[in-house]
Amino acid sequence: MFVVVGLGNPGKEYTNTRHNIGFDTIDLLASRNNIKINKIKFKSVYGEGIIGNEKVLLVKPQTYMNNSGITVRDIYNFYKVPIENIIVVVDDIDIDFAAVRIKRKGSAGSHNGLKSIIYLLQKDDFPRVKIGIGKKHEAQDLANFVLSRFSKSEREIIEGSILLGAQSVEAIIKYGIDEAMNEFNTKGNRAQD
């Protein structure tokens, strides 16, 4: 069993913000794999389904970004799923805009959602799919930047990255993280379908 957690903030005012790219990716995964996000538990909304031959939970925590770890910890404790089967989809300001990177494990960097997960699990060896949301201007406040929306032209580009992120998650589940990293961590890789 795999648990895919897309990070974001609940509520209409956060829809389509840079920080909600994890939610956007979960929505696309749900639609691509005919999974309905219609259950409420673990301080989240989630759906159960199959990707490849694996049972999968697609999860959108409803705790707000800075407390995402509460949802992940509760699911981890309830299902006893191996840590390497918890895939976190997250926005990243430290990689190029629209880049998609799979990482096997690592620190939280400046991301409060990842900090919360690592703090509450006391582990950092869960895979993550990172999507580059751009870099803030020097004078810009980080919180204001991540809670801003993409411009129309940026949104068109980021839609391709969301697709690539969804495909990355599917590849991790179907073929394993090594094969997924080999395929998707290549420079210049573009979404294909």
Side-chain angles (χ1 to χ4, degrees):
M1 177 174 156
F2 283 82
V3 177
V4 186
V5 183
L7 299 191
N9 286 307
K12 279 196 170 45
E13 67 269 34
Y14 298 109
T15 302
N16 292 327
T17 58
R18 295 172 191 272
H19 226 16
N20 272 32
I21 205 116
F23 277 16
D24 295 343
T25 307
I26 291 293
D27 290 340
L28 183 58
L29 276 165
S31 120
R32 283 171 59 88
N33 294 283
N34 298 314
I35 297 172
K36 286 187 173 36
I37 308 287
N38 59 2
K39 298 180 186 318
I40 300 173
K41 194 176 179 181
F42 311 113
K43 294 185 177 63
S44 74
V45 293
Y46 71 99
E48 293 180 14
I50 303 290
I51 296 178
N53 295 317
E54 295 285 344
K55 181 178 177 184
V56 176
L57 294 186
L58 298 180
V59 181
K60 299 193 319 191
Q62 301 295 292
T63 55
Y64 291 97
M65 183 66 80
N66 295 359
N67 292 314
S68 299
I70 296 169
T71 294
V72 179
R73 180 197 59 201
D74 290 354
I75 290 172
Y76 176 69
N77 289 338
F78 184 84
Y79 286 102
K80 311 286 189 241
V81 60
I83 192 86
E84 62 273 12
N85 286 15
I86 297 175
I87 304 165
V88 177
V89 184
V90 61
D91 57 286
D92 195 313
I93 60 164
D94 296 318
I95 61 177
D96 291 340
F97 174 71
V100 176
R101 293 284 168 267
I102 301 170
K103 288 194 70 183
R104 186 186 308 273
K105 60 181 183 177
S107 75
S110 61
H111 201 286
N112 288 334
L114 288 175
K115 284 179 187 170
S116 171
I117 294 169
I118 291 168
Y119 177 75
L120 289 172
L121 288 182
Q122 292 295 298
K123 298 171 189 256
D124 67 359
D125 50 346
F126 52 88
R128 62 246 14 209
V129 173
K130 298 176 160 208
I131 300 175
I133 58 165
K135 302 202 185 326
K136 71 180 185 74
H137 303 295
E138 236 173 81
Q140 198 173 14
D141 176 67
L142 179 61
N144 288 340
F145 175 72
V146 298
L147 295 177
S148 69
R149 289 183 168 75
F150 297 102
S151 69
K152 190 166 187 264
S153 60
E154 285 177 325
R155 189 76 211 183
E156 287 169 8
I157 296 165
I158 214 72
E159 290 294 334
S161 302
I162 292 167
L163 174 59
L164 210 53
Q167 292 170 332
S168 299
V169 170
E170 291 165 352
I172 293 168
I173 293 167
K174 291 177 184 175
Y175 311 117
I177 193 160
D178 290 329
E179 195 167 320
M181 287 170 78
N182 285 341
E183 182 177 347
F184 288 95
N185 285 356
T186 310
K187 281 216 179 296
N189 194 351
R190 288 283 167 255
Q192 312 133 6
D193 227 15

